[in-house]
């Protein structure tokens, strides 16, 4: 059975996606993060629209939420401390605060494979480690944690090692999406990144209510930006 209440800790893809899923299933969701922003890598105007719509739907979003402790109460529920007295009672706590590469107990130290401070396998532009016969691709290298990127890295590895056609991956313009409710997506520079890097920046926006929402009597609006 689904819990009646859930606290989701995190500010990234998984936290926002599960907040939307559980809310649509009738769970009272509180989404908390230690920072002051959600989805930092996305255009913040787009993110603010997602946050606003989520709040309008009834998702309780708390910023600067420190969560120093979680205590189980007599009735089996959980009391999540906020650090500022605004504690939250809940039935479920989901932590979606990022991942670390799962490299322990693989024998990499014995093989002499170099790891970074987070435990990620260090590779060069051709996915090769410091050991000539060992390569690594995907999330374990902690470069871009996206499935299509890992697949492309695997193709590049196979082309280079087995096909005799060595090539590298361009990570500069990767399309990304957050399947929140509503979803958001982007590709290229955000407005913030563009203004920091360029002197002449033009921004074009389209802010409208989609036909499906008009016909359904919903006020939810869409926002598109071209930088």
């Amino acid at each position: 059975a689904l819990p009646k209440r859930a606290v989701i800790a995190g500010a990234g893809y998984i936290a926002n996606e599960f907040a939307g899923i559980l809310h649509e299933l009738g769970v009272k969701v509180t989404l908390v993060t230690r920072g002051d922003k959600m989805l930092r890598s996305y255009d913040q105007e787009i993110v603010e629209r997602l946050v606003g719509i989520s709040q309008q739907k009834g998702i309780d979003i708390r910023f600067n939420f420190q969560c120093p402790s979680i205590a189980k109460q007599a009735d089996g529920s959980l009391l999540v401390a906020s650090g500022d007295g605004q504690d939250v009672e809940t039935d479920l706590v989901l932590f979606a605060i990022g991942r670390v590469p799962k490299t322990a107990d693989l024998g990499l130290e014995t093989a002499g494979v170099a790891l970074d401070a987070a435990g990620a396998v260090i590779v060069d532009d051709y996915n090769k480690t410091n050991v000539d016969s060992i390569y690594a691709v995907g999330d374990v290298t902690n470069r871009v944690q996206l499935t299509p990127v890992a697949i492309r890295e695997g193709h590049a590895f196979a082309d280079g090692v087995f096909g005799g056609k060595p090539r590298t991956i361009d990570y500069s313009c990767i399309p990304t999406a957050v399947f929140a409710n509503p979803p958001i997506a982007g590709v290229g520079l955000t407005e913030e990144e563009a203004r920091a890097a360029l002197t002449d920046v033009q921004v074009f926006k389209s802010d409208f209510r989609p036909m499906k929402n008009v016909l359904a009597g919903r006020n939810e609006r869409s926002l598109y930006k071209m930088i």
Side-chain angles (χ1 to χ4, degrees), residues 142-155:
N142 203 24
R143 289 176 289 186
V144 179
Q145 294 182 344
L146 293 173
T147 301
V149 174
I151 292 171
R152 181 57 62 89
E153 289 171 351
H155 286 169

Side-chain angles (χ1 to χ4, degrees), residues 30-48:
T30 303
L31 179 59
V32 304
T33 175
R34 292 190 300 174
D36 57 0
K37 291 182 179 179
M38 290 284 174
L39 298 160
R40 288 182 178 274
S41 63
Y42 278 85
D43 187 284
Q44 285 304 299
E45 186 174 9
I46 299 291
V47 173
E48 288 171 6

Side-chain angles (χ1 to χ4, degrees), residues 4 21 69 73 77 100 112 118 121 134 137-138 140-141 145 166 191 216:
K4 293 182 179 180
I21 292 169
S69 65
Q73 304 188 104
S77 65
V100 295
V121 179
I134 299 179
V137 300
V140 77
T141 65
Q145 294 182 344
E191 181 178 350

Side-chain angles (χ1 to χ4, degrees), residues 183-206:
I184 66 174
V187 61
L189 297 177
T190 66
E191 181 178 350
E192 297 92 334
E193 291 169 342
R195 294 194 183 281
L198 306 169
T199 56
D200 185 11
V201 176
Q202 291 183 297
V203 180
F204 302 90
K205 301 180 188 179
S206 180

Side-chain angles (χ1 to χ4, degrees), residues 97-168:
I97 53 176
R99 296 170 286 164
V100 295
K102 198 171 184 179
T103 54
D105 302 322
L106 293 180
L108 297 180
E109 298 85 355
T110 303
V113 175
L115 305 177
D116 68 11
V121 179
I122 300 173
V123 295
D124 64 15
D125 292 341
Y126 296 92
N127 303 300
K128 187 168 73 172
T129 70
N130 60 307
V131 179
D132 284 342
S133 60
I134 299 179
Y135 293 75
V137 300
D139 291 2
V140 77
T141 65
N142 203 24
R143 289 176 289 186
V144 179
Q145 294 182 344
L146 293 173
T147 301
V149 174
I151 292 171
R152 181 57 62 89
E153 289 171 351
H155 286 169
F157 159 73
D159 287 346
V161 175
F162 300 110
K165 298 178 180 178
R167 61 187 178 89
T168 60

